[in-house]
Amino acid sequence: MPVTPGIYRLFGCLAVLVSVIVPVPAAAHAAEPAVAAFADADAVEPAVAAFADADAVEPAAAFAAAPVDIVLPGTRVTVREDSKDALRVTSYSFGKMTYLRRGAGFTRQAAYQEITVAPKGKKALAVPTSYQSGYDSVVLLDLATSKGTRIRTVRKPLVAHYAHWNRNGGKAVLTVERKSGSAWVTSGFVIVDAVAKTAKTVTVANVDKAARFRWSSDGVDVVAEHSGGTRFYGQDGAIRRTLAKTGRPAGGEDAFTPSGRGLMTWCPSSYTEHVCVWDRTSGKLAAKVPGIKPKALWGWWDEKHFIAVIPSSGHYQVVLSTLKGKTTRVLAAFSAADWSNKLYLGYTRK
């Protein structure tokens, strides 16, 4: 399975309490866990990662402000933030550990393998590390009250993870996977309604085995990779539209520009460039970004800048890049060892 598998949860509403850190289960779903904890104090004292080359980067005037460096607990990752930033890191995963931003710091969430914060930062969706009562599930967290509602998603042995919120924070979509030999392949998606606190599972016929579902910019459809292109599906799983030969959708929490006009993908293999942007309406190529070879793409900052992970002098940086491939700002820095430990930073729009 691409990430630590597991999801389970009993239905109904529960209060999620602060507790002592418990080691995160190793890999597969554990059997019948106790009620998930919400915020676990973190006792790990991390080493500080160097912010190499940060001063050498030419800043964009729009981003020039007094930055603050934050070392993420349990890692050697340094995040550089400005209070005026439109996005900030609200959660992150590192190896088998998951952390959630609480106030001025981050706390480890031992019961969860994944946490995704909704736009505006008022709620989050957490995926537990194991099944409960034979079901995978999610916990809908109210970040103001520290309470959560457990919602069943799929029955064992299916799993549902990789949560993506729509832009108004009313719904989230997760990708459903099943085991095929030694691999995990996609079979459909789950839509979680954060208002009704319900979940609906949709099996998709002839879905791409590597499809990962996320929302269209208008929140009407979900989109995923299909045969080297991008396919739009209705919330009932019906095919709405297919953009052929775009490459697979990319971009952290949101593959679409803030206006919704541009769709970011990993360019088709026939291209020299690695990052492509397509016009959502016409399906035509809008930009091929030259001179940048990212290891990962973590979403859009604004209409003209996206977040990319790039190697730099033996370590890695999270940077803002223009559509011409020019770096305008360094957002985070970390070692190659941190990157090898499946580091992911979840950026949420304020």
Side-chain angles (χ1 to χ4, degrees), residues 295-307:
K295 292 294 184 179
L297 295 169
W298 285 349
W300 289 94
W301 190 265
D302 57 27
E303 206 69 16
K304 296 181 179 179
H305 297 81
F306 60 88
I307 305 170

Side-chain angles (χ1 to χ4, degrees), residues 49-58 76-80 292-298 306-321 327-336 338-339 343 345 347:
F51 230 92
D53 302 330
D55 294 333
V57 177
E58 181 181 347
R76 291 162 292 183
V77 179
T78 302
V79 172
R80 179 160 288 180
I292 185 170
K293 190 176 180 180
K295 292 294 184 179
L297 295 169
W298 285 349
F306 60 88
I307 305 170
V309 180
I310 60 172
S312 176
S313 303
H315 64 282
Y316 286 82
Q317 293 179 336
V318 182
V319 303
L320 291 183
S321 174
T327 294
T328 61
R329 179 176 164 189
V330 177
L331 299 176
F334 44 88
S335 69
D338 286 318
W339 179 245
L343 175 69
L345 308 183
Y347 281 87

Side-chain angles (χ1 to χ4, degrees), residues 91-125:
S91 64
Y92 63 94
S93 56
F94 183 71
K96 296 181 177 67
M97 299 182 293
T98 300
Y99 292 80
L100 176 66
R101 192 165 199 151
R102 301 299 290 152
F106 293 83
T107 55
R108 184 180 170 192
Q109 308 296 305
Y112 305 129
Q113 61 166 288
E114 172 191 332
I115 296 179
T116 307
V117 178
K120 306 299 183 183
K122 294 183 179 180
K123 52 182 171 285
L125 203 67

Side-chain angles (χ1 to χ4, degrees), residues 62 65 94 221 261 279 284 323:
F94 183 71
D221 298 326
R261 292 192 295 267
D279 184 284
K284 293 181 179 180
L323 296 181

Side-chain angles (χ1 to χ4, degrees), residues 47-343:
V48 178
F51 230 92
D53 302 330
D55 294 333
V57 177
E58 181 181 347
F63 306 127
V68 175
D69 287 355
I70 302 171
V71 179
L72 301 182
T75 76
R76 291 162 292 183
V77 179
T78 302
V79 172
R80 179 160 288 180
E81 293 186 341
D82 189 296
S83 60
K84 297 179 181 178
D85 289 344
L87 292 84
R88 68 172 186 167
V89 177
T90 54
S91 64
Y92 63 94
S93 56
F94 183 71
K96 296 181 177 67
M97 299 182 293
T98 300
Y99 292 80
L100 176 66
R101 192 165 199 151
R102 301 299 290 152
F106 293 83
T107 55
R108 184 180 170 192
Q109 308 296 305
Y112 305 129
Q113 61 166 288
E114 172 191 332
I115 296 179
T116 307
V117 178
K120 306 299 183 183
K122 294 183 179 180
K123 52 182 171 285
L125 203 67
V127 178
T129 55
S130 52
Y131 294 108
Q132 186 162 26
S133 301
Y135 282 88
D136 212 344
S137 56
V138 292
V139 173
L140 179 63
L141 303 170
D142 183 320
L143 300 184
T145 64
S146 296
K147 293 183 178 180
T149 301
R150 188 181 296 271
I151 305 168
R152 283 182 172 179
T153 54
V154 294
R155 187 187 291 272
K156 184 180 181 179
L158 297 176
V159 295
H161 56 168
Y162 304 134
H164 290 270
W165 287 96
N166 64 2
R167 292 187 174 185
N168 67 16
K171 293 182 178 181
V173 63
L174 297 92
T175 298
V176 176
E177 292 183 321
R178 59 178 177 82
K179 198 72 175 289
S180 178
S182 60
W184 289 88
V185 298
T186 298
S187 61
F189 57 86
V190 169
I191 291 179
V192 175
D193 187 319
V195 178
K197 297 180 180 178
T198 59
K200 176 185 177 182
T201 301
V202 178
T203 300
V204 179
N206 302 315
V207 66
D208 194 298
K209 292 181 179 180
R212 180 169 171 176
F213 290 92
R214 63 190 78 210
W215 292 96
S216 60
S217 55
D218 58 10
V220 174
D221 298 326
V222 294
V223 299
E225 174 185 1
H226 182 78
S227 298
T230 302
R231 177 161 282 181
F232 291 67
Y233 297 88
Q235 294 181 40
D236 59 357
I239 299 170
R240 301 293 193 209
R241 184 185 183 198
T242 302
L243 303 181
K245 300 180 180 180
T246 62
R248 57 190 171 92
E253 306 307 319
D254 197 339
F256 294 89
T257 58
S259 70
R261 292 192 295 267
L263 165 67
M264 180 161 57
T265 70
W266 293 100
C267 292
S269 58
S270 58
Y271 289 27
T272 301
E273 296 82 3
H274 294 266
V275 183
C276 285
V277 181
W278 305 81
D279 184 284
R280 184 200 64 181
T281 303
S282 68
K284 293 181 179 180
L285 181 65
K288 293 186 292 184
V289 183
I292 185 170
K293 190 176 180 180
K295 292 294 184 179
L297 295 169
W298 285 349
W300 289 94
W301 190 265
D302 57 27
E303 206 69 16
K304 296 181 179 179
H305 297 81
F306 60 88
I307 305 170
V309 180
I310 60 172
S312 176
S313 303
H315 64 282
Y316 286 82
Q317 293 179 336
V318 182
V319 303
L320 291 183
S321 174
T322 69
L323 296 181
K324 294 187 180 296
K326 182 178 181 180
T327 294
T328 61
R329 179 176 164 189
V330 177
L331 299 176
F334 44 88
S335 69
D338 286 318
W339 179 245
S340 296
N341 205 14
K342 299 181 180 179
L343 175 69

